[in-house]
């Protein structure tokens, strides 16, 4: 039995084990509606109080007035003190990961725009080998997926878990060492790719020798995370904990299996490649982003999630159905027909966790969607959640053979990938950083209007990018299927859509310059320090002194 079949069999057996665990949880009453678990994200007495650290005190009061006529009298001081200590314990690692994420975001954006322009101006910047399309596009991919998203996701995990577990982060120095190893691996991997040294598989281009740095770094982060989980001081594990911890464990396993040297070759390599390529989105980026929304969205509007049952249902169905989704990228390839059919079926089954999430978030936001006018963080979260629904439904439909016959090998797939990775994942991570950093640095965002500028540049950019590639890719696919037209006809008709793609990319790059510039201004202590109820609700003066380290 070849390695690809073994990997798929192992994934299937894990799904069966998960199914039995799910049945056991039903017998234990795990899915019985649990208001106490849904309220874990709040301190006692805090439900009903809005919270967005990206706002000034006056704006925070306006947000509260728009949410409820009268806020609750006050949160429990002991709970707030525990939250402050949790934030302080993770502050340095979170800031490190956020800083690395910003650096790779800028580098990856420049590389991405360069590769985009080359698609309609192929003779631009061809004097150096590392600037050729094949290399600069892969530099972009590695920088944004591993550099930006992974660093931001790790920072998010290290900040949220101590809060949700109501304990301090254990082993913070190990997370710093882990972050250093991961980013050393990313830097070395990008350098190797630019020089032409690559493993040659999409999303797995980093040579396996350098990939060892990433594995070692992830291991050094997993240990403190699990230790913190074991030493929790909360009775309930909030659903975000399930998503975040599972995502961290999943991506490590996926990367190790996919990068095993000398194991995956030929058709097996292609099968493993897309097993990893799709799962890194569905079992790493998606769990982190969905887990973030389940925390930040209810926290901002001051209302527990509508149905805790639906949130757990979404988690388990994601775990059950996503493992084999990547096979639909191999439709028409020399792989077993059952593998492709299984992938198509599981792609369609992914509608279940997506619809569960959407219904839950819609019910939670009922009557409070208008708060997005005041809260920039909520705006990012709502946008990301809506795009999660759109990109997931589009992906399920794209897996169908009749649709795939047109969209395969076209720019349509590129547009879909960016809708998920940017419109969903990156927008959620932007919102999370806007919420976290004032708590990490004890300093407010100096220019709040730049947050709005960032949002509209990014939202407009991804909209132009996606629409252009969706239309252009569909027409490209139809042209390639038309026997009366030669191949070059399918190439030339895409040029105006590729130019619009670059326009969208320019807007996204501009939004990143605004975001990173604002981050630097905050880190360098420009603007006033937040000193009031906006940071910790109705915290007492001594609690605020603890927060500021006085």
């Amino acid at each position: 039995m070849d390695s690809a079949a073994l990997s798929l069999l192992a994934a299937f057996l894990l799904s069966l084990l998960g199914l039995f665990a799910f049945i056991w949880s039903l017998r234990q009453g795990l899915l019985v509606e649990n208001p106490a678990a849904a309220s874990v994200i709040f301190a006692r007495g805090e439900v009903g109080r809005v919270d967005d650290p990206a706002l000034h005190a006056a704006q925070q009061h306006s947000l509260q007035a728009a949410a409820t006529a009268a806020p609750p009298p006050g949160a429990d001081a002991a709970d707030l003190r525990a939250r402050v200590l949790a934030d302080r314990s993770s502050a340095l690692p979170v800031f490190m990961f956020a800083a690395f994420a910003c650096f790779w975001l800028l580098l990856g954006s420049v590389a991405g725009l360069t590769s985009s322009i080359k698609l309609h101006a192929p003779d631009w910047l061809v004097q150096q080998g590392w600037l050729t399309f094949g290399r600069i596009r892969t530099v972009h991919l590695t920088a944004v997926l591993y550099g930006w998203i992974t660093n931001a996701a790790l920072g998010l995990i290290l900040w949220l878990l101590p809060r949700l577990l109501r304990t301090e982060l254990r082993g913070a120095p190990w997370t710093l060492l882990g972050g250093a190893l991961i980013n050393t691996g990313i830097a070395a991997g990008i350098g190797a790719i630019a020089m032409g040294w690559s493993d040659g598989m999409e999303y797995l281009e980093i040579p396996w020798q350098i990939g060892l740095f990433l594995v070692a770094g992830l291991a050094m982060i997993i240990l403190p995370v699990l230790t913190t989980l074991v030493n929790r001081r909360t009775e309930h594990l909030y659903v975000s904990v399930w998503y975040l911890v599972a995502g961290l464990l999943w991506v490590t396993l996926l990367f190790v299996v996919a990068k095993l040297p000398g194991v995956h070759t030929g058709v097996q390599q292609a099968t493993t490649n897309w097993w990893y390529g799709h799962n890194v989105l569905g079992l790493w980026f998606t769990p982190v982003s969905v887990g973030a929304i389940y925390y930040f969205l209810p926290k901002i509007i001051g209302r527990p999630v509508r149905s805790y049952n639906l949130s757990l249902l979404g988690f388990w169905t994601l775990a059950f159905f996503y493992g084999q989704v990547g096979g639909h990228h191999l439709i028409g390839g020399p792989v077993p027909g059952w593998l492709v059919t299984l992938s198509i079926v599981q792609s369609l089954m992914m509608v279940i966790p997506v619809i569960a999430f959407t219904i839950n978030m819609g019910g939670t936001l009922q009557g409070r969607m208008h708060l997005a006018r005041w809260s920039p963080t909520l705006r990012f979260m709502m946008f990301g959640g809506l795009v999660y629904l759109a990109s997931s439904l589009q992906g399920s439909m794209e897996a169908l053979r009749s649709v795939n016959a047109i969209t395969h090998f076209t720019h349509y797939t590129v547009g879909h990938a960016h809708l998920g990775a940017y419109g969903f994942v990156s927008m959620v991570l932007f919102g999370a950083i806007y919420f976290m950093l004032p708590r990490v640095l004890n300093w407010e965002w100096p220019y709040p209007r730049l947050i709005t500028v960032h949002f509209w540049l990014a939202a407009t950019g991804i909209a132009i990018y996606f629409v252009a590639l969706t239309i252009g890719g569909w027409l490209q696919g139809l042209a390639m299927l038309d026997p009366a037209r030669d191949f070059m006809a399918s190439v030339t008709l895409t040029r105006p859509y590729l130019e619009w793609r670059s326009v969208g990319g320019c807007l996204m790059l501009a939004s990143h310059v605004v975001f990173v510039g604002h981050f630097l201004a905050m880190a360098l202590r420009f603007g006033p320090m937040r000193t009031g109820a906006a940071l910790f609700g109705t915290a007492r003066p001594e609690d605020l002194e603890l927060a500021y380290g006085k």
Side-chain angles (χ1 to χ4, degrees), residues 6 44 59 93 98 132 176 192 202 206 274 285 336 343 364 371 384 402 420 476 514 531 546:
L6 283 173
R44 285 168 291 184
Q59 297 169 320
T132 56
L176 292 171
E202 192 161 11
I206 295 176
W274 282 110
F285 300 159
S343 174
T364 305
L371 298 184
S402 57
Q476 179 189 15
V514 171
T531 56
L546 175 65

Side-chain angles (χ1 to χ4, degrees), residues 118-179:
K118 282 176 172 291
L119 287 173
H120 53 84
D123 294 329
W124 183 57
L125 296 180
V126 294
Q127 292 78 15
Q128 302 294 329
W130 67 274
L131 286 173
T132 56
F133 177 83
R135 296 189 192 178
I136 199 69
R137 187 261 180 185
T138 308
V139 166
H140 157 70
L141 190 70
T142 304
V144 294
L145 294 187
Y146 293 100
W148 152 242
I149 296 180
T150 296
N151 271 293
L154 291 172
L156 172 66
I157 291 171
L158 294 178
W159 188 79
L160 269 186
L161 285 182
R163 279 188 151 225
L164 292 171
L165 301 175
R166 298 188 178 181
T167 187
E168 297 178 39
L169 177 66
R170 302 311 203 266
W174 288 104
T175 65
L176 292 171
L177 180 57

Side-chain angles (χ1 to χ4, degrees), residues 221-508:
I221 293 170
I222 288 174
L223 183 60
V225 164
L226 295 181
T227 304
T228 304
L229 182 64
V230 170
N231 290 278
R232 63 188 180 275
R233 295 172 185 164
T234 181
E235 296 180 6
H236 302 284
L237 286 181
Y238 187 64
V239 66
S240 294
V241 177
W242 293 62
Y243 275 110
L244 299 177
V245 175
L248 182 59
L249 297 176
W250 281 334
V251 71
T252 306
L253 176 64
L254 289 168
F255 192 80
V256 169
V257 172
K259 294 297 287 184
L260 289 174
V263 175
H264 313 298
T265 58
V267 174
Q268 305 166 21
Q269 186 183 61
T271 306
T272 304
N273 188 180
W274 282 110
W275 171 78
Y276 174 84
H278 233 294
N279 282 340
V280 78
L281 172 64
L283 297 180
W284 173 225
F285 300 159
T286 296
V288 170
S289 302
V290 171
I293 294 175
Y294 267 118
Y295 177 83
F296 290 110
L297 190 146
K299 190 75 172 64
I300 293 167
I301 67 175
R303 175 189 286 174
V305 66
R306 180 63 176 269
S307 172
Y308 196 70
N309 288 357
L310 273 179
S311 67
L312 290 179
L313 177 66
F315 171 80
W316 283 106
T317 49
L318 175 73
F320 295 160
F321 301 139
Y322 208 97
Q324 314 297 335
V325 165
H328 70 250
H329 283 271
L330 301 171
I331 292 176
V335 294
W338 64 263
L339 188 152
V340 173
T341 300
L342 175 64
S343 174
I344 294 171
V345 171
Q346 292 205 328
S347 296
L348 293 175
M349 294 298 287
M350 277 302 299
V351 170
I352 296 175
V354 173
I355 295 299
F357 167 83
T358 305
I359 293 173
N360 214 1
M361 291 298 101
T364 305
L365 278 169
Q366 187 175 10
R368 295 198 178 182
M369 289 188 183
H370 64 286
L371 298 184
R373 293 172 54 194
W374 287 272
S375 170
T377 305
L378 182 60
R379 205 174 299 141
F380 279 99
M381 293 295 162
M382 289 176 62
F383 186 94
L386 182 63
V387 172
Y388 175 49
L389 171 66
S391 62
S392 297
L393 294 180
Q394 182 196 29
S396 295
M397 295 301 103
E398 194 176 350
L400 297 174
R401 285 184 170 89
S402 57
V403 178
N404 196 275
I406 299 174
T407 62
H408 206 36
F409 302 121
T410 71
H411 296 293
Y412 184 98
T413 303
V414 179
H416 167 67
H418 281 76
L419 185 67
Y422 192 90
F424 164 43
V425 177
S426 289
M427 293 296 271
V428 169
L429 292 176
F430 287 137
I433 290 174
Y434 280 125
F435 190 103
M436 294 189 303
L437 262 292
R439 305 286 170 87
V440 170
L441 297 176
N442 296 327
W443 202 268
E444 68 182 2
W445 290 100
Y447 310 109
R449 290 187 178 181
L450 289 182
I451 302 177
T452 301
V453 172
H454 172 204
F455 174 82
W456 287 111
L457 282 174
T460 304
I462 187 59
I464 293 173
Y465 190 105
F466 172 71
V467 171
L469 290 190
T470 299
I471 297 174
W474 188 266
L475 295 177
Q476 179 189 15
L478 292 176
M480 287 196 293
L481 292 174
D482 186 352
R485 306 172 71 178
D486 60 24
F487 177 75
M488 284 308 298
S490 70
V491 176
T492 55
L493 70 81
T494 62
R495 178 162 185 165
Y497 300 101
L498 294 176
E499 291 171 347
W500 276 108
R501 164 186 170 152
S502 294
V503 171
C506 285
L507 292 177
M508 288 188 280

